[in-house]
Amino acid sequence: MPVVVIPNCFLNPQDHAPGFTDCRVVSRVWAEILDELFREYPVLGTRFDSVNGKPAPRWFDLFREVNDEDLRFTPDLVLGEDERLALVNAVGC
């Protein structure tokens, strides 16, 4: 199962100290991983939501730790089970 590294400030907006939380996910493609993270950590969806109030995946992106590959440009790529991914804020990117 891939691991997504999430900045703690995404999970707790009052947390200003540097730090990260590792989250194992079952999903192995970009959109499904983001959906799974929104279900597991509902606070992510409240930070950057769309007009209809639902979480807006476009505000987040995933990068492969091994080569810093931006996964939004390869949304159908099936990731390996031992991949490490970084969740980033894509606002303004």
Side-chain angles (χ1 to χ4, degrees):
M1 295 189 307
V3 172
V4 179
V5 179
I6 304 171
N8 288 340
C9 64
F10 283 15
L11 302 176
N12 180 359
Q14 288 77 34
D15 187 353
H16 299 291
F20 300 89
T21 297
D22 287 358
C23 176
R24 287 212 171 270
V25 293
V26 175
S27 304
R28 294 180 51 198
V29 295
W30 183 81
E32 292 176 6
I33 291 171
L34 289 177
D35 286 344
E36 186 174 338
L37 291 174
F38 287 139
R39 284 191 308 275
E40 182 71 24
Y41 300 101
V43 69
L44 290 174
T46 63
R47 295 195 53 162
F48 303 106
D49 56 0
S50 56
V51 176
N52 65 5
K54 292 184 180 178
R58 71 179 181 279
W59 299 120
F60 295 94
D61 198 9
L62 296 168
F63 281 79
R64 290 172 93 174
E65 197 170 87
V66 69
N67 61 4
D68 285 337
E69 180 181 359
D70 184 341
L71 296 179
R72 73 183 143 177
F73 299 118
T74 55
D76 297 326
L77 176 69
V78 177
L79 299 163
E81 288 193 20
D82 53 348
E83 293 269 5
R84 286 187 61 83
L85 310 169
L87 181 70
V88 297
N89 179 339
V91 174
C93 295

